mmCIF file of all heavy atoms in Angstrom:
data_model
loop_
_atom_site.group_PDB
_atom_site.id
_atom_site.type_symbol
_atom_site.label_atom_id
_atom_site.label_comp_id
_atom_site.label_asym_id
_atom_site.label_seq_id
_atom_site.Cartn_x
_atom_site.Cartn_y
_atom_site.Cartn_z
ATOM 1 N N ALA E 1 18.560 -4.569 -3.023
ATOM 2 C CA ALA E 1 18.003 -5.912 -2.805
ATOM 3 C C ALA E 1 17.306 -5.990 -1.450
ATOM 4 O O ALA E 1 16.220 -6.578 -1.330
ATOM 5 C CB ALA E 1 19.109 -6.959 -2.896
ATOM 6 N N ALA E 2 17.916 -5.406 -0.433
ATOM 7 C CA ALA E 2 17.292 -5.375 0.896
ATOM 8 C C ALA E 2 15.969 -4.628 0.854
ATOM 9 O O ALA E 2 14.990 -5.017 1.507
ATOM 10 C CB ALA E 2 18.242 -4.728 1.904
ATOM 11 N N LEU E 3 15.935 -3.554 0.086
ATOM 12 C CA LEU E 3 14.685 -2.811 -0.093
ATOM 13 C C LEU E 3 13.602 -3.715 -0.680
ATOM 14 O O LEU E 3 12.445 -3.699 -0.231
ATOM 15 C CB LEU E 3 14.925 -1.607 -1.007
ATOM 16 C CG LEU E 3 13.689 -0.796 -1.402
ATOM 17 C CD1 LEU E 3 13.118 -0.073 -0.193
ATOM 18 C CD2 LEU E 3 14.026 0.203 -2.507
ATOM 19 N N GLY E 4 13.969 -4.510 -1.692
ATOM 20 C CA GLY E 4 13.004 -5.435 -2.277
ATOM 21 C C GLY E 4 12.462 -6.418 -1.261
ATOM 22 O O GLY E 4 11.263 -6.737 -1.251
ATOM 23 N N LEU E 5 13.325 -6.900 -0.367
ATOM 24 C CA LEU E 5 12.897 -7.861 0.648
ATOM 25 C C LEU E 5 11.940 -7.237 1.652
ATOM 26 O O LEU E 5 10.912 -7.833 2.001
ATOM 27 C CB LEU E 5 14.117 -8.440 1.362
ATOM 28 C CG LEU E 5 13.840 -9.546 2.382
ATOM 29 C CD1 LEU E 5 13.172 -10.750 1.736
ATOM 30 C CD2 LEU E 5 15.133 -9.966 3.085
ATOM 31 N N VAL E 6 12.241 -6.025 2.132
ATOM 32 C CA VAL E 6 11.345 -5.395 3.120
ATOM 33 C C VAL E 6 10.042 -4.945 2.458
ATOM 34 O O VAL E 6 8.983 -4.930 3.104
ATOM 35 C CB VAL E 6 12.027 -4.227 3.869
ATOM 36 C CG1 VAL E 6 13.290 -4.706 4.562
ATOM 37 C CG2 VAL E 6 12.324 -3.045 2.959
ATOM 38 N N GLN E 7 10.103 -4.586 1.176
ATOM 39 C CA GLN E 7 8.882 -4.249 0.442
ATOM 40 C C GLN E 7 7.988 -5.480 0.364
ATOM 41 O O GLN E 7 6.771 -5.416 0.553
ATOM 42 C CB GLN E 7 9.248 -3.786 -0.966
ATOM 43 C CG GLN E 7 8.135 -3.050 -1.688
ATOM 44 C CD GLN E 7 8.205 -1.556 -1.469
ATOM 45 O OE1 GLN E 7 9.236 -0.959 -1.650
ATOM 46 N NE2 GLN E 7 7.097 -0.955 -1.076
ATOM 47 N N ASN E 8 8.595 -6.619 0.089
ATOM 48 C CA ASN E 8 7.885 -7.896 0.027
ATOM 49 C C ASN E 8 7.261 -8.234 1.381
ATOM 50 O O ASN E 8 6.095 -8.660 1.467
ATOM 51 C CB ASN E 8 8.882 -8.965 -0.409
ATOM 52 C CG ASN E 8 8.270 -10.322 -0.651
ATOM 53 O OD1 ASN E 8 8.878 -11.333 -0.311
ATOM 54 N ND2 ASN E 8 7.104 -10.397 -1.253
ATOM 55 N N LEU E 9 8.028 -8.039 2.445
ATOM 56 C CA LEU E 9 7.523 -8.306 3.791
ATOM 57 C C LEU E 9 6.298 -7.464 4.101
ATOM 58 O O LEU E 9 5.285 -7.971 4.599
ATOM 59 C CB LEU E 9 8.623 -8.017 4.823
ATOM 60 C CG LEU E 9 8.196 -8.052 6.290
ATOM 61 C CD1 LEU E 9 7.752 -9.450 6.700
ATOM 62 C CD2 LEU E 9 9.344 -7.564 7.193
ATOM 63 N N ALA E 10 6.373 -6.166 3.792
ATOM 64 C CA ALA E 10 5.248 -5.277 4.074
ATOM 65 C C ALA E 10 4.012 -5.677 3.288
ATOM 66 O O ALA E 10 2.887 -5.669 3.813
ATOM 67 C CB ALA E 10 5.639 -3.837 3.763
ATOM 68 N N ALA E 11 4.204 -6.059 2.014
ATOM 69 C CA ALA E 11 3.060 -6.454 1.188
ATOM 70 C C ALA E 11 2.437 -7.742 1.693
ATOM 71 O O ALA E 11 1.192 -7.859 1.780
ATOM 72 C CB ALA E 11 3.513 -6.610 -0.264
ATOM 73 N N LEU E 12 3.264 -8.728 2.048
ATOM 74 C CA LEU E 12 2.728 -10.011 2.524
ATOM 75 C C LEU E 12 2.046 -9.845 3.883
ATOM 76 O O LEU E 12 1.017 -10.488 4.148
ATOM 77 C CB LEU E 12 3.847 -11.043 2.615
ATOM 78 C CG LEU E 12 4.447 -11.499 1.275
ATOM 79 C CD1 LEU E 12 5.608 -12.461 1.509
ATOM 80 C CD2 LEU E 12 3.387 -12.144 0.392
ATOM 81 N N ARG E 13 2.594 -8.998 4.729
ATOM 82 C CA ARG E 13 1.950 -8.753 6.033
ATOM 83 C C ARG E 13 0.579 -8.119 5.843
ATOM 84 O O ARG E 13 -0.393 -8.490 6.512
ATOM 85 C CB ARG E 13 2.831 -7.849 6.882
ATOM 86 C CG ARG E 13 2.222 -7.498 8.247
ATOM 87 C CD ARG E 13 3.200 -6.666 9.059
ATOM 88 N NE ARG E 13 2.654 -6.265 10.342
ATOM 89 C CZ ARG E 13 2.089 -5.101 10.604
ATOM 90 N NH1 ARG E 13 1.962 -4.191 9.624
ATOM 91 N NH2 ARG E 13 1.631 -4.817 11.809
ATOM 92 N N ALA E 14 0.504 -7.159 4.914
ATOM 93 C CA ALA E 14 -0.795 -6.533 4.645
ATOM 94 C C ALA E 14 -1.777 -7.548 4.065
ATOM 95 O O ALA E 14 -2.952 -7.588 4.449
ATOM 96 C CB ALA E 14 -0.618 -5.363 3.686
ATOM 97 N N LEU E 15 -1.294 -8.384 3.144
ATOM 98 C CA LEU E 15 -2.157 -9.382 2.524
ATOM 99 C C LEU E 15 -2.619 -10.419 3.545
ATOM 100 O O LEU E 15 -3.767 -10.878 3.503
ATOM 101 C CB LEU E 15 -1.394 -10.070 1.387
ATOM 102 C CG LEU E 15 -2.176 -10.967 0.431
ATOM 103 C CD1 LEU E 15 -3.330 -10.205 -0.216
ATOM 104 C CD2 LEU E 15 -1.240 -11.522 -0.639
ATOM 105 N N ALA E 16 -1.744 -10.769 4.477
ATOM 106 C CA ALA E 16 -2.082 -11.747 5.508
ATOM 107 C C ALA E 16 -2.979 -11.160 6.587
ATOM 108 O O ALA E 16 -3.673 -11.895 7.296
ATOM 109 C CB ALA E 16 -0.804 -12.283 6.152
ATOM 110 N N GLY E 17 -2.970 -9.838 6.714
ATOM 111 C CA GLY E 17 -3.742 -9.182 7.766
ATOM 112 C C GLY E 17 -4.942 -8.433 7.241
ATOM 113 O O GLY E 17 -5.916 -9.034 6.766
ATOM 114 N N PRO E 18 -4.892 -7.095 7.244
ATOM 115 C CA PRO E 18 -6.075 -6.308 6.867
ATOM 116 C C PRO E 18 -6.378 -6.286 5.379
ATOM 117 O O PRO E 18 -7.428 -5.812 4.963
ATOM 118 C CB PRO E 18 -5.718 -4.898 7.365
ATOM 119 C CG PRO E 18 -4.226 -4.854 7.328
ATOM 120 C CD PRO E 18 -3.779 -6.242 7.691
ATOM 121 N N GLY E 19 -5.448 -6.763 4.538
ATOM 122 C CA GLY E 19 -5.643 -6.694 3.093
ATOM 123 C C GLY E 19 -4.896 -5.511 2.498
ATOM 124 O O GLY E 19 -4.580 -4.539 3.192
ATOM 125 N N ILE E 20 -4.648 -5.582 1.217
ATOM 126 C CA ILE E 20 -3.861 -4.564 0.530
ATOM 127 C C ILE E 20 -4.612 -3.246 0.390
ATOM 128 O O ILE E 20 -4.068 -2.170 0.585
ATOM 129 C CB ILE E 20 -3.436 -5.069 -0.872
ATOM 130 C CG1 ILE E 20 -2.441 -6.236 -0.733
ATOM 131 C CG2 ILE E 20 -2.840 -3.941 -1.706
ATOM 132 C CD1 ILE E 20 -1.115 -5.870 -0.131
ATOM 133 N N GLN E 21 -5.892 -3.324 0.047
ATOM 134 C CA GLN E 21 -6.630 -2.116 -0.310
ATOM 135 C C GLN E 21 -6.790 -1.132 0.833
ATOM 136 O O GLN E 21 -6.843 0.073 0.619
ATOM 137 C CB GLN E 21 -8.006 -2.478 -0.872
ATOM 138 C CG GLN E 21 -7.987 -3.011 -2.301
ATOM 139 C CD GLN E 21 -7.451 -2.008 -3.290
ATOM 140 O OE1 GLN E 21 -6.232 -1.864 -3.444
ATOM 141 N NE2 GLN E 21 -8.334 -1.302 -3.956
ATOM 142 N N SER E 22 -6.883 -1.625 2.047
ATOM 143 C CA SER E 22 -7.124 -0.742 3.187
ATOM 144 C C SER E 22 -6.083 0.367 3.273
ATOM 145 O O SER E 22 -6.406 1.553 3.250
ATOM 146 C CB SER E 22 -7.129 -1.562 4.479
ATOM 147 O OG SER E 22 -7.223 -0.718 5.606
ATOM 148 N N GLY E 23 -4.811 -0.013 3.349
ATOM 149 C CA GLY E 23 -3.765 0.998 3.441
ATOM 150 C C GLY E 23 -3.494 1.689 2.125
ATOM 151 O O GLY E 23 -3.260 2.898 2.084
ATOM 152 N N HIS E 24 -3.547 0.920 1.039
ATOM 153 C CA HIS E 24 -3.222 1.488 -0.270
ATOM 154 C C HIS E 24 -4.199 2.597 -0.649
ATOM 155 O O HIS E 24 -3.794 3.670 -1.099
ATOM 156 C CB HIS E 24 -3.253 0.381 -1.328
ATOM 157 C CG HIS E 24 -3.008 0.871 -2.719
ATOM 158 N ND1 HIS E 24 -1.758 1.241 -3.171
ATOM 159 C CD2 HIS E 24 -3.855 1.076 -3.759
ATOM 160 C CE1 HIS E 24 -1.839 1.633 -4.428
ATOM 161 N NE2 HIS E 24 -3.102 1.540 -4.810
ATOM 162 N N MET E 25 -5.481 2.350 -0.465
ATOM 163 C CA MET E 25 -6.470 3.325 -0.900
ATOM 164 C C MET E 25 -6.508 4.563 -0.011
ATOM 165 O O MET E 25 -6.885 5.638 -0.474
ATOM 166 C CB MET E 25 -7.851 2.675 -0.988
ATOM 167 C CG MET E 25 -7.965 1.632 -2.106
ATOM 168 S SD MET E 25 -7.396 2.218 -3.729
ATOM 169 C CE MET E 25 -8.654 3.430 -4.124
ATOM 170 N N LYS E 26 -6.107 4.408 1.245
ATOM 171 C CA LYS E 26 -6.008 5.603 2.086
ATOM 172 C C LYS E 26 -4.998 6.586 1.500
ATOM 173 O O LYS E 26 -5.212 7.795 1.481
ATOM 174 C CB LYS E 26 -5.603 5.209 3.511
ATOM 175 C CG LYS E 26 -6.730 4.603 4.335
ATOM 176 C CD LYS E 26 -6.247 4.275 5.739
ATOM 177 C CE LYS E 26 -7.382 3.672 6.565
ATOM 178 N NZ LYS E 26 -6.932 3.294 7.937
ATOM 179 N N LEU E 27 -3.891 6.047 1.029
ATOM 180 C CA LEU E 27 -2.872 6.894 0.429
ATOM 181 C C LEU E 27 -3.238 7.306 -0.997
ATOM 182 O O LEU E 27 -2.869 8.375 -1.468
ATOM 183 C CB LEU E 27 -1.526 6.164 0.439
ATOM 184 C CG LEU E 27 -0.969 5.904 1.844
ATOM 185 C CD1 LEU E 27 0.207 4.952 1.793
ATOM 186 C CD2 LEU E 27 -0.568 7.206 2.517
ATOM 187 N N GLN E 28 -3.981 6.446 -1.682
ATOM 188 C CA GLN E 28 -4.414 6.747 -3.038
ATOM 189 C C GLN E 28 -5.371 7.936 -3.068
ATOM 190 O O GLN E 28 -5.507 8.611 -4.100
ATOM 191 C CB GLN E 28 -5.104 5.520 -3.646
ATOM 192 C CG GLN E 28 -5.490 5.630 -5.111
ATOM 193 C CD GLN E 28 -4.296 5.662 -6.042
ATOM 194 O OE1 GLN E 28 -3.210 5.244 -5.656
ATOM 195 N NE2 GLN E 28 -4.476 6.157 -7.244
ATOM 196 N N ALA E 29 -6.015 8.208 -1.951
ATOM 197 C CA ALA E 29 -6.966 9.320 -1.883
ATOM 198 C C ALA E 29 -6.315 10.643 -2.252
ATOM 199 O O ALA E 29 -6.942 11.509 -2.875
ATOM 200 C CB ALA E 29 -7.581 9.403 -0.485
ATOM 201 N N ASN E 30 -5.071 10.834 -1.882
ATOM 202 C CA ASN E 30 -4.374 12.072 -2.233
ATOM 203 C C ASN E 30 -4.238 12.231 -3.743
ATOM 204 O O ASN E 30 -4.451 13.316 -4.286
ATOM 205 C CB ASN E 30 -2.988 12.088 -1.584
ATOM 206 C CG ASN E 30 -3.059 12.298 -0.088
ATOM 207 O OD1 ASN E 30 -3.364 13.370 0.388
ATOM 208 N ND2 ASN E 30 -2.763 11.249 0.652
ATOM 209 N N ALA E 31 -3.875 11.130 -4.427
ATOM 210 C CA ALA E 31 -3.745 11.178 -5.880
ATOM 211 C C ALA E 31 -5.093 11.431 -6.539
ATOM 212 O O ALA E 31 -5.192 12.183 -7.520
ATOM 213 C CB ALA E 31 -3.134 9.871 -6.396
ATOM 214 N N LEU E 32 -6.142 10.817 -6.013
ATOM 215 C CA LEU E 32 -7.488 11.043 -6.555
ATOM 216 C C LEU E 32 -7.912 12.496 -6.383
ATOM 217 O O LEU E 32 -8.533 13.079 -7.281
ATOM 218 C CB LEU E 32 -8.496 10.122 -5.859
ATOM 219 C CG LEU E 32 -8.680 8.716 -6.430
ATOM 220 C CD1 LEU E 32 -9.619 7.910 -5.544
ATOM 221 C CD2 LEU E 32 -9.229 8.785 -7.852
ATOM 222 N N ALA E 33 -7.594 13.076 -5.246
ATOM 223 C CA ALA E 33 -7.959 14.470 -4.992
ATOM 224 C C ALA E 33 -7.290 15.397 -6.003
ATOM 225 O O ALA E 33 -7.921 16.316 -6.544
ATOM 226 C CB ALA E 33 -7.569 14.858 -3.564
ATOM 227 N N ILE E 34 -6.022 15.155 -6.285
ATOM 228 C CA ILE E 34 -5.305 15.972 -7.263
ATOM 229 C C ILE E 34 -5.895 15.772 -8.652
ATOM 230 O O ILE E 34 -6.100 16.732 -9.409
ATOM 231 C CB ILE E 34 -3.809 15.617 -7.246
ATOM 232 C CG1 ILE E 34 -3.204 16.015 -5.891
ATOM 233 C CG2 ILE E 34 -3.062 16.308 -8.385
ATOM 234 C CD1 ILE E 34 -1.814 15.472 -5.659
ATOM 235 N N ALA E 35 -6.183 14.495 -9.010
ATOM 236 C CA ALA E 35 -6.753 14.198 -10.327
ATOM 237 C C ALA E 35 -8.122 14.845 -10.508
ATOM 238 O O ALA E 35 -8.505 15.217 -11.621
ATOM 239 C CB ALA E 35 -6.853 12.690 -10.519
ATOM 240 N N ALA E 36 -8.853 15.000 -9.402
ATOM 241 C CA ALA E 36 -10.183 15.615 -9.468
ATOM 242 C C ALA E 36 -10.115 17.126 -9.634
ATOM 243 O O ALA E 36 -11.136 17.768 -9.906
ATOM 244 C CB ALA E 36 -10.981 15.268 -8.214
ATOM 245 N N GLY E 37 -8.920 17.693 -9.460
ATOM 246 C CA GLY E 37 -8.751 19.129 -9.657
ATOM 247 C C GLY E 37 -8.739 19.947 -8.380
ATOM 248 O O GLY E 37 -8.851 21.172 -8.423
#
């Protein structure tokens, strides 16, 4: 349950600040690289 709360905090802070996509897509790049072969 505590994990859920801190996960929520991190998401809301990102949404209130730089936005979700900025950090998410930086990390998503690794998955895209693997998917590309």
Side-chain angles (χ1 to χ4, degrees):
L3 175 68
L5 185 60
V6 303
Q7 196 92 51
N8 186 219
L9 171 65
L12 292 176
R13 178 177 178 263
L15 191 56
I20 293 294
Q21 284 298 82
S22 174
H24 177 75
M25 292 309 291
K26 284 181 180 178
L27 295 169
Q28 186 69 20
N30 288 289
L32 274 175
I34 294 169

